[in-house]
Amino acid sequence: MRRILIVGAGQSGLQLALGLQSKGYDVTLMSHRTADETRSGRVMSTQVMFATALDHERDLKLNFWENRAPRIEGLGVSVAGPAREPGGYHRTVDWAGSLDGYAQSVDQRVKMAGWMDVFAERGGRLVIHGAAVSDLDFLSRRYELVLVAAGKGELASMFGRDAARSPYAAPQRSLAVAYVHGLGPRHEHPEYDAMRCNLVPGAGELFVMPTLTTSGHADILFWEGIPGGPIDVFQDVRDPGEHLVRTLELLERFTPWEYARATKVELTDANATLVGRYTPTVRHPVGRLPSGGAVLGVGDVVVANDPVTGQGANLAAKCAASYLEAIVARGGAPFDTAWMQATFERFWATARPATKWTNAMLAPPPPHVLNLVGAAGRLQPVADRIANGFDDPADFEHFFFDSAKADAYVRDAGEAEGDLEEGEVTEGTGDAD
């Protein structure tokens, strides 16, 4: 039985630990918090997971909350523009695309704590200890493979930044999350729950998404603000109540259609808010210990994208699934650095399209992208295809990045729907108010 150490009890670390455990490996998992501390702690993310990532959990029979969590069956996009009267905003674009397979969000406090309990119940060694590089240097002699799935602090510093794959050197958004009860329904598409993406050009984005949290069904209000802009206002927030007040003030100013259903919301609990910012970074996957040993980075240790496209938990699940397959396929051969690099590159084939798309969405959109988003308001197949790209970002390569491909796709979609004359391209406008 091969002995493996995993450091970090998030989506990728726990999924991989439970997967290896189910395959008969001798797995030790290190976490800096207990399951109870995780369950009662601060919210950690927004974690909307799409069909492919959910399938990886189903494959391991870890989808314990699937029948309780809201089913997100669509993805809506609104674009805010200045209203005709000074000081207000209205929707210049508003549409919703249907997902081929539903998405779900389960508060990571619920999921990670539950998975930690299951790992221990199944006989796994769960060590509660904040690991330092010196700890790994000592422990690595006892294990055939050490995987680092803790993406912050000293351990992450072992993995150098891959400059060729990391176009940004500073945070591109300030992040502010609030979990709330009491959000009213959207009048548009009331037949299904949808994740809502509200784009405020030049300022940032608001995401609204149903979730399952420690107190049942809830919604997440998530602002991403361009640093220094009018949405970047959470740095000096002193308490959760003030955080919610500022969240609602921004809704009222920039997305009044969302504010109209948020007038009675309240925080789900005292730890229901989160503020932060970080630089999107791809790191080299092999870290070196002082003694010369090698460790392999997992999940957001090696690929940390801004959450603007909701890819974080999805890539973490995909990474864990890819690594699990590579470890099992290795049999009894050594986990040397060549294998580690090859294992990451195999995952990078999945992560690269998501990273390319996410980095593109952090920049001001070029005209052809605005055209594409606008066309989705009149062409349902375009809306559906963009929505399903959140599950399979590789599809964006065929119609999103290149203006000629995008224009041809919109033209063909319009002709198929009988909406456009041959050669015509939509201008991407249309007032939804």
Side-chain angles (χ1 to χ4, degrees), residues 369-424:
V369 170
L370 296 175
N371 196 39
L372 194 62
V373 171
R378 296 191 301 116
L379 299 169
Q380 192 60 43
V382 177
D384 293 345
R385 188 171 185 181
I386 293 173
N388 284 285
F390 280 73
D391 182 41
D392 180 19
D395 187 44
F396 286 118
E397 197 66 49
H398 303 299
F399 72 102
F400 188 87
F401 299 109
D402 179 80
S403 61
K405 290 181 180 179
D407 292 347
Y409 170 60
V410 170
R411 181 178 61 249
D412 292 345
E415 291 174 356
E417 293 292 297
D419 187 75
L420 295 173
E421 297 295 332
E422 185 175 357
E424 183 185 359

Side-chain angles (χ1 to χ4, degrees), residues 270-332:
N271 290 314
T273 61
L274 180 67
V275 174
R277 64 182 73 200
Y278 61 86
T279 304
T281 306
V282 177
R283 297 183 178 91
H284 295 291
V286 180
R288 284 292 181 183
L289 296 168
S291 63
V295 297
L296 177 60
V298 185
D300 61 5
V301 170
V302 286
V303 181
N305 283 321
D306 187 280
V308 71
T309 57
Q311 296 300 299
N314 290 272
L315 282 180
K318 293 172 182 178
C319 182
S322 180
Y323 278 24
L324 174 61
E325 186 175 334
I327 291 169
V328 172
R330 192 64 172 167

Side-chain angles (χ1 to χ4, degrees), residues 170-427:
Q172 298 301 297
R173 294 291 190 273
S174 62
L175 315 175
V177 174
Y179 282 53
V180 298
H181 289 310
L183 187 69
R186 267 269 203 143
H187 296 302
E188 303 88 354
H189 304 284
E191 68 274 14
Y192 59 73
D193 275 333
M195 173 181 170
R196 300 286 175 174
C197 308
N198 298 273
L199 313 179
V200 186
E205 301 83 20
L206 168 70
F207 300 91
V208 183
M209 57 207 83
T211 193
L212 176 70
T213 186
T214 54
S215 51
H217 284 204
D219 288 276
I220 301 171
L221 304 176
F222 175 29
W223 278 109
E224 289 221 7
I226 294 174
I231 295 173
D232 182 14
V233 295
F234 290 88
Q235 304 94 316
D236 62 342
V237 167
R238 294 181 296 276
D239 60 66
E242 184 179 357
H243 182 116
L244 181 59
V245 168
R246 293 200 185 182
T247 296
L248 296 176
E249 288 173 347
L250 293 175
L251 262 71
E252 185 176 22
R253 176 181 175 186
F254 293 108
T255 59
W257 54 92
E258 301 289 8
Y259 178 73
R261 62 191 188 116
T263 55
K264 297 181 180 180
V265 301
E266 58 184 12
L267 294 174
T268 58
D269 60 271
N271 290 314
T273 61
L274 180 67
V275 174
R277 64 182 73 200
Y278 61 86
T279 304
T281 306
V282 177
R283 297 183 178 91
H284 295 291
V286 180
R288 284 292 181 183
L289 296 168
S291 63
V295 297
L296 177 60
V298 185
D300 61 5
V301 170
V302 286
V303 181
N305 283 321
D306 187 280
V308 71
T309 57
Q311 296 300 299
N314 290 272
L315 282 180
K318 293 172 182 178
C319 182
S322 180
Y323 278 24
L324 174 61
E325 186 175 334
I327 291 169
V328 172
R330 192 64 172 167
F335 299 115
D336 54 26
T337 56
W339 174 86
M340 291 181 180
Q341 186 68 45
T343 295
F344 170 76
E345 294 297 338
R346 182 171 176 267
F347 164 61
W348 177 245
T350 297
R352 185 195 62 78
T355 301
K356 179 179 179 179
W357 175 50
T358 302
N359 288 338
M361 292 302 294
L362 292 171
H368 75 270
V369 170
L370 296 175
N371 196 39
L372 194 62
V373 171
R378 296 191 301 116
L379 299 169
Q380 192 60 43
V382 177
D384 293 345
R385 188 171 185 181
I386 293 173
N388 284 285
F390 280 73
D391 182 41
D392 180 19
D395 187 44
F396 286 118
E397 197 66 49
H398 303 299
F399 72 102
F400 188 87
F401 299 109
D402 179 80
S403 61
K405 290 181 180 179
D407 292 347
Y409 170 60
V410 170
R411 181 178 61 249
D412 292 345
E415 291 174 356
E417 293 292 297
D419 187 75
L420 295 173
E421 297 295 332
E422 185 175 357
E424 183 185 359
V425 178
T426 180
E427 293 300 322

Side-chain angles (χ1 to χ4, degrees), residues 12-334:
S12 58
L14 269 164
Q15 182 182 318
L16 183 55
L18 286 159
L20 288 169
Q21 187 182 52
S22 72
K23 301 292 185 182
Y25 289 81
D26 182 351
V27 184
T28 299
L29 178 69
M30 292 187 70
S31 171
H32 71 287
R33 292 190 296 183
T34 66
D36 286 342
E37 288 170 341
T38 298
R39 192 177 286 112
S40 62
R42 185 170 297 278
V43 293
M44 295 179 280
S45 67
T46 53
Q47 76 279 313
V48 172
M49 299 184 69
F50 296 91
T52 301
L54 292 177
D55 279 343
H56 290 314
E57 295 185 354
R58 295 177 186 123
D59 289 343
L60 297 174
K61 297 180 172 56
L62 299 176
N63 54 327
F64 305 134
W65 302 273
E66 184 160 7
N67 293 329
R68 295 170 51 202
R71 294 189 175 189
I72 301 172
E73 297 180 319
L75 186 137
V77 172
S78 298
V79 179
R84 297 172 183 87
E85 62 275 7
Y89 278 77
H90 71 153
R91 286 173 289 185
T92 61
V93 172
D94 186 58
W95 52 261
S98 296
L99 294 170
D100 293 339
Y102 60 81
Q104 289 188 307
S105 169
V106 177
D107 185 341
Q108 289 193 342
R109 295 178 298 180
V110 174
K111 182 190 287 188
M112 300 309 127
W115 280 0
M116 288 172 72
D117 287 340
V118 169
F119 177 78
E121 290 166 3
R122 292 177 178 175
R125 281 188 298 277
L126 181 60
V127 178
I128 307 302
H129 190 275
V133 172
S134 57
D135 297 316
L136 294 194
D137 205 28
F138 173 75
L139 292 171
S140 64
R141 302 179 182 91
R142 303 182 179 184
Y143 296 91
E144 295 178 72
L145 175 62
V146 176
L147 299 127
V148 177
K152 298 177 182 178
E154 180 185 351
L155 296 186
S157 67
M158 290 192 297
F159 304 91
R161 177 175 178 267
D162 187 339
R165 293 170 170 171
S166 305
Y168 296 114
Q172 298 301 297
R173 294 291 190 273
S174 62
L175 315 175
V177 174
Y179 282 53
V180 298
H181 289 310
L183 187 69
R186 267 269 203 143
H187 296 302
E188 303 88 354
H189 304 284
E191 68 274 14
Y192 59 73
D193 275 333
M195 173 181 170
R196 300 286 175 174
C197 308
N198 298 273
L199 313 179
V200 186
E205 301 83 20
L206 168 70
F207 300 91
V208 183
M209 57 207 83
T211 193
L212 176 70
T213 186
T214 54
S215 51
H217 284 204
D219 288 276
I220 301 171
L221 304 176
F222 175 29
W223 278 109
E224 289 221 7
I226 294 174
I231 295 173
D232 182 14
V233 295
F234 290 88
Q235 304 94 316
D236 62 342
V237 167
R238 294 181 296 276
D239 60 66
E242 184 179 357
H243 182 116
L244 181 59
V245 168
R246 293 200 185 182
T247 296
L248 296 176
E249 288 173 347
L250 293 175
L251 262 71
E252 185 176 22
R253 176 181 175 186
F254 293 108
T255 59
W257 54 92
E258 301 289 8
Y259 178 73
R261 62 191 188 116
T263 55
K264 297 181 180 180
V265 301
E266 58 184 12
L267 294 174
T268 58
D269 60 271
N271 290 314
T273 61
L274 180 67
V275 174
R277 64 182 73 200
Y278 61 86
T279 304
T281 306
V282 177
R283 297 183 178 91
H284 295 291
V286 180
R288 284 292 181 183
L289 296 168
S291 63
V295 297
L296 177 60
V298 185
D300 61 5
V301 170
V302 286
V303 181
N305 283 321
D306 187 280
V308 71
T309 57
Q311 296 300 299
N314 290 272
L315 282 180
K318 293 172 182 178
C319 182
S322 180
Y323 278 24
L324 174 61
E325 186 175 334
I327 291 169
V328 172
R330 192 64 172 167

